[in-house]
Amino acid sequence: FVKRINLMPNLKAWISAARLRTLPLSISGIIVGSSLAIENLFWKSNTQNYFKQSETSYLYHSDGSLYTYQLISYKETNNPISWARKYIYEYNSDSTLLTQTYLMLDTLTGDWYDYGKWEIHYNSAKDMDYFDYYLWNETTLNWDLSYTYEYHYNVDGNIELVDGAIWNSVTNNWENYYQETTMYDANGRDTLYQEFDWVADSNSWVI
């Protein structure tokens, strides 16, 4: 003796229970929850093995000007420092930036050491005229001139040429290195920007 069971009433009850206002919420909950789980698993897996995490901090003068900017990069879960750099800013009396010193962290001793320095010069209109970049020489304990960038402006005060040169310490001369040119329309909007590298072999600029 086998009793026949009519499943239709039960099926209708299930369909009735799956109301439009609850079904989307259930499905969306599954999708969001699964996404968070996958993202969390992926993040933990990669921070343990591949990704480097960074920490950034800023310090300001009482007048609101930036004093130092520091970036530290970590790796692995126990967070040993992979590398770190810090920038220290000095200003002129008129609040224009004078120097930006670039320091690196010795991860073994925990000491900061000088690495590079930008020294900025301005024209009479207080626009950047040029800046020189120096590298710290551990042997002589002096800043060695490395390269310079000069800025040229059109009559409207827009930068139309940036001319970069490298200092040759053997010949004590500047050598062509890099150029940027910008063209503007009548409304002062830049219409053409180009970068050039100096090729010594052909003695010419190449885009």
Side-chain angles (χ1 to χ4, degrees):
F1 170 72
V2 177
K3 182 178 179 181
R4 292 180 178 273
I5 299 176
N6 187 359
L7 296 177
M8 289 305 295
N10 294 330
L11 183 59
K12 289 180 180 179
W14 280 102
I15 295 175
S16 177
R19 296 187 299 272
L20 290 178
R21 68 177 182 177
T22 57
L23 184 60
L25 290 175
S26 301
I27 296 175
S28 63
I30 294 171
I31 294 174
V32 172
S34 300
S35 300
L36 290 174
I38 292 174
E39 181 182 1
N40 190 43
L41 177 63
F42 176 78
W43 172 252
K44 286 184 177 178
S45 172
N46 281 276
T47 50
Q48 288 173 0
N49 301 297
Y50 306 107
F51 282 359
K52 290 182 179 178
Q53 299 169 298
S54 296
E55 173 188 322
T56 305
S57 61
Y58 302 87
L59 293 176
Y60 297 87
H61 291 288
S62 57
D63 61 0
S65 59
L66 183 63
Y67 167 67
T68 181
Y69 160 76
Q70 181 173 306
L71 176 62
I72 300 178
S73 179
Y74 302 96
K75 63 179 180 180
E76 305 300 336
T77 52
N78 55 350
N79 280 345
I81 295 177
S82 173
W83 55 266
R85 63 174 178 259
K86 178 165 60 175
Y87 298 92
I88 296 179
Y89 302 86
E90 295 181 70
Y91 297 86
N92 294 304
S93 57
D94 59 0
S95 299
T96 54
L97 185 62
L98 174 62
T99 63
Q100 176 181 321
T101 306
Y102 175 21
L103 296 89
M104 293 290 290
L105 178 68
D106 188 328
T107 56
L108 297 178
T109 65
D111 297 326
W112 291 96
Y113 62 91
D114 289 321
Y115 181 81
K117 181 173 70 172
W118 290 265
E119 190 174 272
I120 298 123
H121 302 265
Y122 299 87
N123 57 28
S124 57
K126 300 299 181 183
D127 293 320
M128 187 184 296
D129 190 14
Y130 68 95
F131 73 82
D132 294 327
Y133 182 72
Y134 299 82
L135 289 172
W136 180 251
N137 190 321
E138 285 290 344
T139 304
T140 63
L141 300 181
N142 287 310
W143 290 104
D144 290 343
L145 190 58
S146 179
Y147 62 81
T148 187
Y149 275 65
E150 293 183 358
Y151 292 78
H152 303 268
Y153 301 83
N154 59 21
V155 293
D156 297 320
N158 297 316
I159 298 174
E160 61 181 0
L161 172 65
V162 179
D163 194 7
I166 291 180
W167 179 253
N168 189 324
S169 58
V170 177
T171 63
N172 288 329
N173 287 309
W174 289 107
E175 296 179 351
N176 290 327
Y177 167 61
Y178 175 80
Q179 277 189 349
E180 296 175 10
T181 60
T182 308
M183 299 181 65
Y184 302 86
D185 60 18
N187 297 317
R189 294 181 299 231
D190 55 296
T191 57
L192 180 62
Y193 171 82
Q194 292 179 306
E195 296 181 355
F196 301 86
D197 291 314
W198 180 256
V199 180
D201 294 340
S202 59
N203 203 36
S204 62
W205 293 102
V206 176
I207 295 179

